[in-house]
Amino acid sequence: MTYKSLSNTGVSIPEVGLGTWNYHAGVEPLRKGLDAGALFIDTAESYGTEMVVGQAVAGVRARVFIATKVCPEHFRFRSVLEAADGSLKRLGIEWIDLYQLHMPNDKVPIEETLAAMEQLVDAGKVRFIGVSNFSVAQLERARNATRKYRIVSNQVRYNVVDRTIEADLLKYCQANGITIIAYSPLARDFQSILDCDPDCALAEVARRTGKTIAQVAINWCLCKDGVVAIPRGNSTAHVVENCGASSWRLTAEQLQFLDRSIRWRRRGPMETFIRSMLPPPMKRALGILVQMLPRGLRRRFK
Ligand SMILES: NC(=O)c1ccc[n+]([C@@H]2O[C@H](COP(=O)([O-])OP(=O)(O)OC[C@H]3O[C@@H](n4cnc5c(N)ncnc54)[C@H](OP(=O)(O)O)[C@@H]3O)[C@@H](O)[C@H]2O)c1
């Protein structure tokens, strides 16, 4: 497993971590992922997976980099402190390595939220502060609001078919030494990636490199400076396979071939805004409807 620097902290983290949103496979696949070198697990208070993560790291906790997140409904000062205590308890650990604001919440001043995050660092309950789903403008506001500690990471959607962050956020983070933690590196349901690859370019590169399609897709993310990825697998086979996305690199020619062949897209600001306003049940219903569309149309809505 290759490690990458976490911002300018002096700490390095595995370039492939274990995502746990919608994870329901128990302790074993996570343990096998740790054995395969992915000593980095991402969870959140809202995922309902902090307990299984805690069980998976029992006995090896000090070697594992544990990232979790506080929900936007808990961004008031006292609520942040309480949420962190809740996560620590569910995880059964004494400190959180990376505590992330799950998504922006304009209703609470970011200064208030970050003051609580900094207090958690002072108390030794949190090592590093990160954010998730923050735009450049939101990240700048957050960075200006910290007093003692830096924002070290931004966890955002990034994969070979959704390259929205390349418009500005990726460059901004690279220029400012903020690590990008790429979530949904397999486009959330894997079939989405295949939908956008009508000429089977990923399969062709997989054949040439002796890797699998999933490994090629994850490695595509890892080829970018300052980017680590957190695929989620619900089986030992998937988790271990995904760890094999590390410690090798696609060539420049293979990257260009994928860039030319895959029907990747960037979400525009209006689409991003509308998506952020949709309530989760409506998002789920739309997701089901999109699955029923023919492949050519389906990929436009991913
Ligand atoms: N911060 C945020 O707002 C946010 C949002 C979304 C996700 N995340 C984080 O990012 C993590 C990963 O993103 P994600 O859960 O959206 O999805 P993902 O990792 O992009 O894709 C998961 C899907 O790919 C399948 N898969 C995994 N490995 C595979 C393989 N080797 N071959 C074929 N299919 C494979 C999984 O199937 P199985 O489940 O059957 O293995 C699942 O259907 C989450 O778990 C979470 O930790 C964060």
Side-chain angles (χ1 to χ4, degrees):
M1 176 66 62
T2 298
Y3 277 57
K4 284 189 174 178
S5 303
L6 177 68
S7 185
N8 65 351
T9 59
V11 168
S12 294
I13 57 174
E15 64 178 1
V16 175
L18 306 174
T20 63
W21 172 76
N22 217 1
Y23 175 79
H24 43 72
V27 169
E28 203 49 26
L30 293 178
R31 289 231 173 107
K32 291 288 190 272
L34 297 174
D35 291 345
L39 293 162
F40 164 26
I41 307 189
D42 178 72
T43 180
E45 60 169 335
S46 61
Y47 290 176
T49 53
E50 288 179 321
M51 281 176 75
V52 73
V53 169
Q55 289 158 13
V57 301
V60 290
R61 190 274 168 266
R63 296 173 52 219
V64 185
F65 188 88
I66 299 178
T68 190
K69 313 184 193 80
V70 51
C71 305
E73 309 86 76
H74 294 156
F75 279 9
R76 286 283 172 198
F77 188 90
R78 183 135 296 284
S79 301
V80 174
L81 304 184
E82 286 167 3
D85 283 340
S87 287
L88 285 167
K89 197 165 169 207
R90 284 185 295 277
L91 285 158
I93 58 178
E94 286 170 14
W95 74 90
I96 295 163
D97 294 292
L98 178 66
Y99 202 33
Q100 306 157 100
L101 306 185
H102 203 144
M103 57 194 73
N105 178 359
D106 293 340
K107 296 192 186 88
V108 181
I110 190 73
E111 291 77 9
E112 176 177 339
T113 309
L114 285 168
M117 297 287 273
E118 293 195 311
Q119 184 161 310
L120 288 166
V121 179
D122 283 336
K125 294 182 179 184
V126 165
R127 282 174 78 198
F128 302 113
I129 300 171
V131 295
S132 176
N133 298 302
F134 274 45
S135 66
V136 169
Q138 288 160 336
L139 201 43
E140 287 205 310
R141 275 202 293 280
R143 294 177 79 213
N144 288 332
T146 56
R147 296 202 176 144
K148 297 170 77 174
Y149 305 109
R150 282 167 40 90
I151 308 272
V152 303
S153 60
N154 190 10
Q155 186 178 131
V156 286
R157 186 178 169 95
Y158 189 41
N159 57 57
V160 69
V161 300
D162 184 340
R163 299 170 57 166
T164 306
I165 67 165
E166 291 179 0
D168 56 357
L169 190 64
L170 178 63
K171 281 193 206 80
Y172 177 87
C173 289
Q174 287 170 332
N176 290 284
I178 296 166
T179 298
I180 290 276
I181 301 178
Y183 75 64
S184 303
L186 295 172
R188 183 157 289 182
D189 64 5
F190 194 66
Q191 181 59 41
S192 303
I193 286 190
L194 304 179
D195 285 349
C196 298
D197 183 17
D199 301 329
C200 302
L202 283 161
E204 171 59 20
V205 174
R207 194 188 57 73
R208 277 192 247 158
T209 51
K211 306 291 177 186
T212 66
I213 292 178
Q215 289 170 339
V216 170
I218 296 167
N219 193 272
W220 179 91
C221 298
L222 305 179
C223 285
K224 314 288 165 166
D225 284 343
V227 177
V228 299
I230 48 167
R232 177 246 318 173
N234 263 304
S235 63
T236 297
H238 276 174
V239 167
V240 172
E241 178 183 335
N242 296 342
C243 292
S246 175
S247 300
W248 59 280
R249 286 291 179 265
L250 292 162
T251 64
E253 188 215 349
Q254 288 161 350
L255 287 168
Q256 280 164 14
F257 174 63
L258 292 176
D259 288 352
R260 274 198 315 272
S261 310
I262 290 179
R263 309 269 173 90
W264 56 269
R265 60 195 293 266
R266 287 183 190 148
R267 292 177 179 175
M270 182 55 78
E271 183 184 348
T272 305
F273 174 74
I274 292 170
R275 281 177 184 265
S276 72
M277 299 308 283
L278 287 177
M282 194 179 286
K283 268 191 204 163
R284 273 194 293 278
L286 284 174
I288 293 166
L289 278 179
V290 167
Q291 288 305 334
M292 295 173 183
L293 296 172
R295 184 164 110 161
L297 263 179
R298 202 158 63 208
R299 66 171 170 255
R300 292 172 193 273
F301 296 97
K302 294 288 183 179

